[in-house]
DNA sequence: ACTCAGGTATTAC
DNA sequence: GTAATACCTGAG
């Protein structure tokens, strides 16, 4: 396949580090020249930003402009979202200034389910390593600039993978959860196409929670970071708990902060933009 | 040696 | 319902 290129000039709310290091994705890696290369939805792409111009180059399974506009959520007005959120309080404003170039990617639903199951009680380098090895073992090879990349395997490509196979790839105790979830989806116990069409977020959330290895935090990450794209959910991990406690709840022991209280507070403060507010806060608190 | 990391499932009150 | 506890793995 041939490499395509697409350029955008004078783009707003688009910073490579903010997008790729804010914790939403696992398959983008920084290159020596400061650009990022990643694999998504069967494409391999390199993204570079110079001045106010972003250049996308890659091996794509369709029109690169359409692929980019969809994946990078370019049709959404992040300037408007940020100006709404900034009005909430100084803390949120500070976090937005820190992560001003964040965009929430439209990532593949199936890939996010598997990726976030792997993320449980794990650290980012390991999560990335496990996903990489699964892709290399069962995905399709794509060559880009003389190097080999591997697509994230489809449901079909994982159908014969055993619990032991996942363990060998380093998944640890998550091996059985991966196996069970793959087979629940294969058996249509959970229908991803139906889920994608269902506008009722709570219904979709309930369905996700039936999957093995998917609890409240993982379900919310899937809802927020996949093509399901629900900005009203508020994934609560240790970092979000920490920042919400520091800024608003001010309990001396953050581990004792009730999840329900955080959820309620997030809903009151951020409403249907809770998810993206969470992302600014999370990125700010974790990196800064 | 020991703790910790994007939680979840299981078991026990 | 809600609170403890175990859990692969490898880096620091």
């Amino acid at each position: 396949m041939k490499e395509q290129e697409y350029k955008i000039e004078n783009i707003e709310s688009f910073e490579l580090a903010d997008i790729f290091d804010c914790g939403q994705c696992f398959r983008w890696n920084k290159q020596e020249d400061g650009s990022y290369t990643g694999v998504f939805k069967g494409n391999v792409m390199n993204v570079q930003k110079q001045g106010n111009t972003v250049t996308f180059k890659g091996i794509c399974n369709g029109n690169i402009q359409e692929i980019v506009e969809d994946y990078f959520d370019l049709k959404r007005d992040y300037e408007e979202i940020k100006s709404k959120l900034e009005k909430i309080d100084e803390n949120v404003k500070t976090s937005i200034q820190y992560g001003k170039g964040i965009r929430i990617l439209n990532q593949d639903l199936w890939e996010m389910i598997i990726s976030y199951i792997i993320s449980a009680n794990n650290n980012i380098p390991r999560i990335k390593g496990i996903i990489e090895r699964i892709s290399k073992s069962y995905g399709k090879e794509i060559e880009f600039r003389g190097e080999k990349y591997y697509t994230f395997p489809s449901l079909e490509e994982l159908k014969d993978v055993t619990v032991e196979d996942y363990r060998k790839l380093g998944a640890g105790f998550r091996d059985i959860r991966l196996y069970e979830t793959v087979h629940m989806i294969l058996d249509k116990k959970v229908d991803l196409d139906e889920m994608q069409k269902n506008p009722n977020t709570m219904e979709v959330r309930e369905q996700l929670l039936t999957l093995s290895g998917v609890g409240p935090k993982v379900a919310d990450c899937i809802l927020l970071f996949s093509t399901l794209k629900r900005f009203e959910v508020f994934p609560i991990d240790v970092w979000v708990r920490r920042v919400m406690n520091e800024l608003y709840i001010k309990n001396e022991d953050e581990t004792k902060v009730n999840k329900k209280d955080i959820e309620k507070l997030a809903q009151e403060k951020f409403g249907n933009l809770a998810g993206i507010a969470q992302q600014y806060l999370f990125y700010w608190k974790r990196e800064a």
Side-chain angles (χ1 to χ4, degrees), chain A residues 12-48:
Chain A
E12 289 183 307
S13 294
F14 196 106
E15 295 297 334
L16 302 183
D18 295 346
I19 293 169
F20 297 125
D21 298 333
C22 74
Q24 60 178 326
C25 54
F26 301 104
R27 300 207 67 199
W28 286 89
N29 295 304
K30 192 172 187 174
Q31 309 300 302
E32 287 180 4
D33 63 358
S35 68
Y36 283 76
T37 299
V39 185
F40 65 95
K41 293 176 176 171
N43 309 292
V44 182
M45 192 173 285
N46 176 266
V47 188
Q48 185 151 37

Side-chain angles (χ1 to χ4, degrees), chain A residues 11-15 18-19 49 72 74 76-80 82 99-103 280:
Chain A
I11 193 166
E12 289 183 307
S13 294
F14 196 106
E15 295 297 334
D18 295 346
I19 293 169
K49 186 170 183 189
F72 289 94
L74 297 185
R76 195 183 308 267
D77 189 347
Y78 280 77
E79 296 303 311
E80 188 188 335
K82 288 191 292 187
K100 60 184 187 316
I102 289 178
R103 277 175 181 274
Y280 290 117

Side-chain angles (χ1 to χ4, degrees), chain A residues 131-153:
Chain A
I131 294 172
E132 208 52 47
R133 289 189 289 278
I134 289 178
S135 300
K136 189 166 184 178
S137 302
Y138 307 109
K140 296 182 188 68
E141 183 181 304
I142 301 177
E143 194 163 309
F144 176 56
R145 298 179 174 176
E147 288 201 54
K148 288 172 176 162
Y149 294 85
Y150 300 88
T151 62
F152 189 83

